[in-house]
Amino acid sequence: MTATATDVVSADEIRDRFSRAMSAMYQAEVPQYETLLALVDEVNRETLAGDPALAERLEAFDELVRLGVERHGAIRVGSAEELAMLRRLFAVMGMHPVGYYDLAEAGVPVHSTAFRPVDDAALARNPFRLFTSLLRLELIESAELRERAAAILAERDIFTPEARELIALAERQGGLTDEQADRFVTAALETFRWHRDATVDLATYEALHAEHRLIADVVCFRGPHINHLTPRTLDIDEVQRRMPAAGMNPKAVIEGPPRRDCPILLRQTSFKALEEPIRFAGDRQGTHTARFGEIEQRGVALTAEGRALYDRLLAASKEGTAGLAHEAHQQALAEAFADFPDDEVELRRRGLAFFEYRLTDAGRASGPVDASDPEALIARGLVVARPITYEDFLPVSAAGIFQSNLGDGGGEAYAGHANRAAFEAALGATVTDELALYAERERASLAAVREALAG
């Protein structure tokens, strides 16, 4: 029987079920991730208790309710067909490709997008996102190895028959019923499950591993096992400091901008990937290192001008921060970012960050006023401006996380250049410009405020 529009559950509900099921599966597969979740929750509770103003602000901005469900994950696929099918799978959950990221320049032979919800209501319901990378086989130098990898990938199907059937059903009927949604989550989860049996012999694995560890990780297994999930913290420095005492080995330094009074973009760290036993074809035993736990702290989204300033300062900081231990690294990074305003008012006035505008109680009670100058409205207490949370990723940071969990080998930039057109051709769709999403959100909020104050 075909479902009607009133029978189907929302894509947001399916995404929420899926993200919770994914978290439960990963905690069972990587028990240290469960320890990480407990540590992040502890630090978040202490941070909120010690800073009532922050707690009140997060509550007022609808950020507190999503803190506990905030997750992102990362996967890597090997072929255009796999990527295109993932696009259809994520669409069932209201997740769409946003942003194009080229990691080849940082020595990781992939390019990527983030599948995520895009509208305010969906983000408020559950902002789960999957950073999804496509292996760039053309960057493998050896033609023989390149052809061997392509042949291995062509022989696998990373989706169950039921997952394929339910994706097609959702597309036909405009969604899934409650029962179908539960079956979809169960079937879709199989794509991301860990399998300790490799699909190749040890010699093939070692040859691909020698080319790049990530290539072996993508090519040699039945599917794109989730390689990390990420809770959101309010104090990433404190989580980093406490990880060793909780039995976790943190990466050397936090990726992204330095600690600031007004957080920007995204800061990330992780515990090092675990070495796990693998059984290769022919019953040869070995080990594989790929899966880890990550932590993120999110700040305000930057405009094109703000991002250009960030990228320029980050590039200039590289020489002065290279090889430094964590505390010295963060101090040097903070000094390098001295020219980046650390004040919301200045960020707004200089057009460096995106803000959402809302009426205050006084604004709602006021009569018609001249609403042409947002800063004047804020000064009069009629309007508040809240920083728009950055929902996306940073290619340099992503590469840094990847490299720290792939070991010391590799890291040299590939000769290949960014190829968004090829990525979108594989995807079967264009990726949305994340800056356009933030700009439209700011514009719409300001228009709504002005319309309301016009009387």
Side-chain angles (χ1 to χ4, degrees), residues 5 14 19-20 27 34 55 64 86 90 122 151 156 160 183 192 214 241 250 292 304 338 373 387 413 418 427:
I14 300 175
S19 68
R20 294 177 189 277
Q27 288 177 63
E34 186 174 7
L64 203 55
L86 276 176
F90 289 133
R156 75 180 187 183
T160 68
R183 287 197 289 120
F192 308 95
L214 184 139
R241 188 184 70 80
F292 55 96
D373 183 359
L427 182 68

Side-chain angles (χ1 to χ4, degrees), residues 348-397:
R348 272 201 324 272
R349 289 176 175 170
R350 289 180 54 180
L352 297 176
F354 290 108
F355 290 82
E356 181 182 13
Y357 296 86
R358 296 184 183 182
L359 291 175
T360 62
D361 289 340
R364 283 186 285 271
S366 77
V369 298
D370 178 4
S372 60
D373 183 359
E375 290 301 320
L377 298 174
I378 294 170
R380 292 176 59 185
L382 303 179
V383 169
V384 292
R386 57 158 288 188
I388 295 178
T389 300
Y390 186 63
E391 306 288 352
D392 297 287
F393 297 90
L394 301 170
V396 174
S397 294

